[in-house]
Amino acid sequence: MKDPKRFLEEAVPKVRSQVPEPKRAIVAASGGIDSTVAAVVVARAIGDRATALFVDNGLLRKGEIERTEEVLSGAGVKHRVVPAAPRFFSALKGVADPERKRKIVGETFVRVFEEEAKALQADYLVQGTIAPDWIESGGSLRDTIKTHHNVGGLPADMHLKVVEPLRDLYKDEVRALARHLNVPQPERQPFPGPGLAVRVVGEVTPERTETTRVACAVVEEEVERAVSEGKIPRPWQYFASLLPVRTVGVIGDARTYGDAVSVRIVESIDAMTATSLAVPTEVLRRISERITRELSGKVTRVLYDVTDKPPATIEWE
Ligand code: XMP
């Protein structure tokens, strides 16, 4: 791997030549480590000719807007939060197919970015795409495993020119770069571009997304607690997915009929392969107990996904 300092020595002038003076760029900032590092690299290269846009698509993790604003401000990146949740939910209405969902989220992002770019008079779109994103999105002889939203979702008629400064890097390299650039929480788990849309298996509604958000927050909190207590190593990724299955439960002596949630905790080096983590039962029981309590009457069953990648992928969709 290239050392972060040397990577920057090449990447910064490259971005400067890709976005020549006095042109402007917008940066698709998701709050994740990849796009945050991309935003910092681009801000170093072209300063406030770049504006990072953080789109509130309604598919974000709990507390994510506040956290991202803090990180971007701390890194000195000019940014703006774009409220767009109703637009994403209406575009996703009635759609259950995973690839269509991914394309819709990607396209809606692009339309929002195009409008914002017009307002800011920007011609360039910077994305935090890294190597596994485009490798798994297919192209040449590769099969499309899934269309990563920051790659395959781009419509052919998009007017913005794409700049991807981290395109050849793997996650561990991005993390090394984040440490070098003092971006907080470089070990933070990845979060997919289409957000909770790929964790709400089946149709995405505001209600099902909220259920998934609460379940994901419980998994994050409990896994982080288990890591800090030395019960498990820090996993690559840990989250919940809401399944399109209804299942019978009982509260007191009343019957309930609710949803099923799958918990996934995996180890990986670069997301190309992954292993389901053997988590102590007490940690899993606590997760299950909290999810069914905090989503009482809504979620009646919690399952642990023991499948490795391959044959499964990390996300359910
Ligand atoms: P899968 O589910 O394909 O995921 O095993 C591999 C890694 O990529 C994340 N992921 C995405 N990241 N855009 C992204 O930026 C996407 O569309 C996307 N889909 C999946 C996933 O969370 C895992 O870390």
Side-chain angles (χ1 to χ4, degrees):
M1 172 197 148
K2 208 174 262 180
D3 120 337
K5 211 166 147 243
R6 281 199 43 211
F7 172 83
L8 284 174
E9 278 164 14
E10 287 171 24
V12 168
K14 189 168 169 195
V15 171
R16 256 182 224 138
S17 68
Q18 284 173 311
V19 188
E21 200 129 30
K23 298 279 186 202
R24 298 200 185 119
I26 55 170
V27 184
S30 70
I33 202 76
D34 306 343
S35 66
T36 305
V37 169
V40 177
V41 170
V42 171
R44 281 207 172 185
I46 61 169
D48 62 9
R49 283 194 285 127
T51 306
L53 298 175
F54 181 68
V55 179
D56 174 9
N57 57 8
L59 305 166
L60 304 168
R61 278 177 285 189
K62 199 172 144 194
E64 195 60 12
I65 300 177
E66 299 75 11
R67 205 202 65 89
T68 303
E69 281 220 280
E70 205 179 303
V71 171
L72 293 173
S73 302
V77 175
K78 189 170 98 181
H79 64 276
R80 160 178 148 68
V81 177
V82 186
R87 188 163 170 175
F88 279 80
F89 285 124
S90 82
L92 286 164
K93 201 164 190 275
V95 181
D97 177 73
E99 278 298 286
R100 273 195 66 209
K101 281 165 63 176
R102 285 175 167 273
K103 292 224 154 114
I104 288 170
V105 174
E107 271 177 29
T108 310
F109 263 116
V110 170
R111 298 302 164 219
V112 171
F113 289 138
E114 280 185 329
E115 289 164 22
E116 294 294 317
K118 205 169 165 197
L120 291 162
Q121 296 178 307
D123 298 313
Y124 295 83
L125 170 68
V126 179
Q127 300 201 115
T129 311
I130 63 170
D133 300 343
W134 56 267
I135 291 170
E136 292 208 339
S137 290
S140 66
L141 297 175
R142 290 178 195 278
D143 193 19
T144 301
I145 313 277
K146 49 182 84 171
T147 311
H148 281 227
H149 96 104
N150 43 359
V151 182
L154 296 181
D157 65 347
M158 188 182 74
H159 302 305
L160 295 162
K161 292 176 208 111
V162 175
V163 177
E164 293 174 327
L166 313 181
R167 216 189 134 72
D168 296 324
L169 302 187
Y170 281 82
K171 201 76 174 190
D172 52 335
E173 298 174 306
V174 179
R175 286 184 167 145
L177 193 54
R179 279 189 286 274
H180 179 76
L181 293 166
N182 286 325
V183 171
Q185 291 182 282
E187 304 305 323
R188 195 166 188 245
Q189 63 164 330
F191 186 65
L196 296 177
V198 294
R199 295 183 179 171
V200 178
V201 182
E203 187 186 352
V204 179
T205 63
E207 296 70 32
R208 290 181 69 76
T209 306
E210 184 54 27
T211 301
T212 312
R213 184 165 17 246
V214 172
C216 278
V218 169
V219 175
E220 287 194 25
E221 285 163 25
E222 292 305 325
V223 166
E224 274 150 27
R225 179 208 297 262
V227 171
S228 69
E229 290 173 352
K231 291 185 178 139
I232 52 171
R234 176 168 288 283
W236 166 270
Q237 239 172 327
Y238 38 103
F239 57 90
S241 303
L242 182 64
L243 308 186
V245 171
R246 302 203 75 198
T247 162
V248 175
V250 57
I251 298 179
D253 50 14
R255 176 190 194 269
T256 55
Y257 192 42
D259 289 313
V261 157
S262 157
V263 174
R264 188 135 172 79
I265 306 174
V266 296
E267 292 185 297
S268 177
I269 304 288
D270 57 10
M272 301 300 287
T273 60
T275 316
S276 171
L277 190 71
V279 179
T281 311
E282 54 164 309
V283 177
L284 292 176
R285 291 183 74 87
R286 215 185 139 86
I287 290 173
S288 165
E289 185 271 318
R290 273 193 64 192
I291 290 177
T292 47
R293 178 159 43 83
E294 292 174 32
L295 292 162
S296 177
K298 287 193 176 139
V299 172
T300 39
R301 211 166 287 262
V302 176
L303 314 166
Y304 188 61
D305 184 348
V306 295
T307 330
D308 293 339
K309 173 183 182 177
T313 53
I314 295 177
E315 302 289 348
W316 271 65
E317 289 193 334

